[in-house]
Amino acid sequence: MTNQQHFDYLLRLGDNALILGQRLGEWCGHGPILEQDIAITNIALDLIGQARSWLALAGEVEGKGRDEDAIAFLRDNREFRNLLLVEHPNEDFAYTIVRQFLFDSFNYYLHEALVNSKDEQIKAIAQKSLKEVTYHLRYSSEWMIRLGDGTDESHQKMQQALDDLWMYAEEALLPDEVDQAAYAAGVGPDLASLRPLVAAKRHAIITEATLTIPKDEYPQQGGKQGMHTEALGYILAEMQWMQRAYPGAEW
């Protein structure tokens, strides 16, 4: 595994958490009820905390003196390595929950595997994050079932969100040379070994939610290689403007 591949692998872990955390943070003060406003904001904070750990480690591996703030706030669109799924707009609560569940159902098994990484620092971050990631999956699974098997309106909205987001769910499980190098080095898991676990969890929860699993057609990918939707540009414009306007500013 080259140093660049190691760096890219860590960026993927950090950018997924960073961008999804930023997305969920948009719900702060706008949640459907106070309890869920607080719950989603807490999940966003968990993800931002995880992103700091992954990106700080990425900076160490890169060896160019960049800390987690520099990597988060001073990179351009094409330098981000997050999944397309996590940058999708919130739309409404149904889209937010479906996006969260599709990501969590992958992220949980990923972290469960990363606790066995040969990279001691990755192993330590995964061990620290796994409890939070487990809670995130439980939260989104429960809301998938509650809304999918709820009223006619909530069922229809959840099915629409699932139909629209399903094409982005597969990218996480499609390995490229970075994933393969990480697996060969014992740094990350074989994504093929996660596929049946992720599929079983998604099938069980979607079925219990009385929703219909969409057909696997035209999976969208490219986020891990730096090719993003226009949605990421809007996220970065909001997230980075302070650091761009006042370089080097500190709290």
Side-chain angles (χ1 to χ4, degrees), residues 3 102 201 207:
N3 196 63
L102 292 176
K201 170 60 72 174
T207 300

Side-chain angles (χ1 to χ4, degrees), residues 23-80:
R23 269 290 183 234
L24 292 178
E26 296 172 6
W27 274 107
C28 185
H30 302 280
I33 57 175
L34 180 59
E35 183 183 29
Q36 299 316 315
D37 190 309
I38 295 171
I40 291 176
T41 302
N42 279 332
I43 293 173
L45 290 173
D46 289 343
L47 290 167
I48 296 298
Q50 292 166 21
R52 289 193 65 184
S53 297
W54 291 125
L55 296 181
L57 180 55
E60 290 180 24
V61 169
E62 183 189 39
K64 295 183 179 178
R66 293 199 292 179
D67 61 12
E68 66 268 32
D69 287 334
I71 293 177
F73 297 118
L74 296 175
R75 277 182 300 152
D76 294 327
N77 186 302
R78 293 294 297 270
E79 297 176 273
F80 276 75

Side-chain angles (χ1 to χ4, degrees), residues 1 6 9-10 113-114 116-119 122 181-189:
M1 187 179 197
H6 196 178
Y9 191 74
L10 291 166
L114 287 175
N116 297 313
S117 175
K118 290 183 179 178
D119 184 315
I122 288 179
Y183 172 55
V187 168

Side-chain angles (χ1 to χ4, degrees), residues 1-15 55 58 61-62 75 79-82 176-179 182 224-225:
M1 187 179 197
T2 66
N3 196 63
Q4 182 63 47
Q5 289 170 329
H6 196 178
F7 176 63
D8 283 346
Y9 191 74
L10 291 166
L11 282 187
R12 294 176 181 190
L13 295 168
D15 286 348
L55 296 181
V61 169
E62 183 189 39
R75 277 182 300 152
E79 297 176 273
F80 276 75
R81 296 291 182 265
N82 57 276
D176 65 1
E177 67 281 0
V178 173
D179 296 309
K224 292 196 292 188
Q225 293 79 34

